[in-house]
Amino acid sequence: MPTAEQFQKIIEPLFPGLMGVEVKEATQAKVVATMLVRPDLCTTDGICHGGAYMAFADTLGAIGAVMNLGEGQWTTTIESKTNFFAAVPAGDTAKAECTPLHRGRTTMVWQTRISRGDGKLAAIVTQTQLVIASR
Amino acid sequence: MPTAEQFQKIIEPLFPGLMGVEVKEATQAKVVATMLVRPDLCTTDGICHGGAYMAFADTLGAIGAVMNLGEGQWTTTIESKTNFFAAVPAGDTAKAECTPLHRGRTTMVWQTRISRGDGKLAAIVTQTQLVIASR
Amino acid sequence: MPTAEQFQKIIEPLFPGLMGVEVKEATQAKVVATMLVRPDLCTTDGICHGGAYMAFADTLGAIGAVMNLGEGQWTTTIESKTNFFAAVPAGDTAKAECTPLHRGRTTMVWQTRISRGDGKLAAIVTQTQLVIASR
Amino acid sequence: MPTAEQFQKIIEPLFPGLMGVEVKEATQAKVVATMLVRPDLCTTDGICHGGAYMAFADTLGAIGAVMNLGEGQWTTTIESKTNFFAAVPAGDTAKAECTPLHRGRTTMVWQTRISRGDGKLAAIVTQTQLVIASR
């Protein structure tokens, strides 16, 4: 299984890299990452764009699923649901912790809690990953 | 009400600008935009990152809500749900069309259909916008 | 493939039967049913309970999926999302129309629009059905 | 604020009463209830109908919201999302525990975990309640 550092290298040239996602921890039971809320990740009013939260979380859920795949398996996100609770201001660092709600043979469900620097819960993202047999 | 060109100027320095979203049409009943799937919007395998779809759609839903606000009102996304159907490959241009399912006094619900260059439906995103009285 | 009448017989002793669901049409592309909003399907204030809408729709999505299964396949709902728009009063008859958003080999996604007797849209339910190979 | 016994009396003639929901605990921070999975709450194969889980949970989320309303306020469910993990067989008693993810002035978000008699997690339902000022 890849380490957090290896996932970081994989995502650098990809969308999570563009957003500045930093993978801090990646185990089969938990994925942790941070993201500095740069002005170009914001919507109007200088707060983090809702889409940036969702993309941040989607990245962690996919990493969590990959950590639990068997030999020759692959995974894809089939659906994702977000509830937004609080705005994260530009300049703050959002932290995401992703844990599994379900790890089955055909599907896995991962839930990511995104919090602000002051610890307040900003959003919860729940996504279903389909487990695909070797292609 | 802002025009598509004015929304484009507003989003340029923000997250949709970072992703290259181009607003093509913005009326009270429909918002249309395109997004070139650059390599840095992708996940592994050279396909558009799920989070990029969601951020793309979230932008349109917010524009649609803004188009329907009254004097002094504001809006925020309170929840968003995505179903993914097909991958959009790097180099392709994704097109999103967003229309209202509900436009009430307190909430609006907008649905965005994202399709690929070949017309195939790639994802549907449904989001709820809270309508907030003047601050 | 079962007919609407056959589905009706199947559901009679089950939860949709308890609720009084009447299957009117069942094809591979559309399922239609009605449900009289009896007082014992309501929440306080004499309006249809949100859970009754969801159970009504879930029934149609499952029928739609069954209509599209291959030999020896089975299906189960893995997730469901509802947006509520308008209340349906006791004594009214709710009508549901369910159509596919996606019919893949591994998953299908069905969307049900529930409307009131006066034609107003009351709720939209979108659910993902997993397609399971023969047991 | 009503007690669990008072909520039980309120729901008896309504949809949760039809399903046999028993409210065991109702505080501002948690609502607990049980539901015997009778054959007429099932789908084919003798397992609890997905809609019965959703209606069961919706009831608890609404009670939780009511427990937190101010003078003259009311609440309505605006959206609900369910992930299904395991089947609950007929004859088993499902238990639901509902806790708040967010209690704001305009919206509340409640999450219900439904488990089987053997303790296995069967489903998670997350719903948004709109808080409405006195009519």
Side-chain angles (χ1 to χ4, degrees), chain A residues 18-59:
Chain A
L18 180 68
M19 295 193 297
V21 172
E22 296 188 23
V23 183
K24 298 296 186 185
E25 184 183 335
T27 68
Q28 288 192 309
K30 187 159 76 164
V31 181
V32 180
T34 59
M35 184 174 74
L36 171 65
V37 179
R38 299 185 321 238
D40 63 357
L41 298 186
C42 286
T43 182
T44 51
D45 289 337
I47 58 171
C48 189
H49 192 283
Y53 291 62
M54 295 192 283
F56 183 26
D58 186 67
T59 303

Side-chain angles (χ1 to χ4, degrees), chain A residues 53-54 81-86 111-112 114 121-126, chain B residues 77-81, chain C residues 81, chain D residues 79-81 101-102 108-111 126-129:
Chain A
Y53 291 62
M54 295 192 283
K81 168 67 163 73
T82 300
N83 288 80
F84 298 100
F85 304 120
Q111 190 165 70
T112 303
I114 299 177
L121 183 64
I124 293 184
V125 182
T126 307
Chain B
T77 310
I78 58 171
E79 61 90 27
S80 179
K81 168 67 163 74
Chain C
K81 168 68 162 75
Chain D
E79 61 90 27
S80 178
K81 169 67 162 74
L101 295 178
H102 176 69
M108 298 189 211
V109 179
W110 291 80
Q111 190 164 71
T126 307
Q127 74 199 68
T128 303
Q129 297 288 134

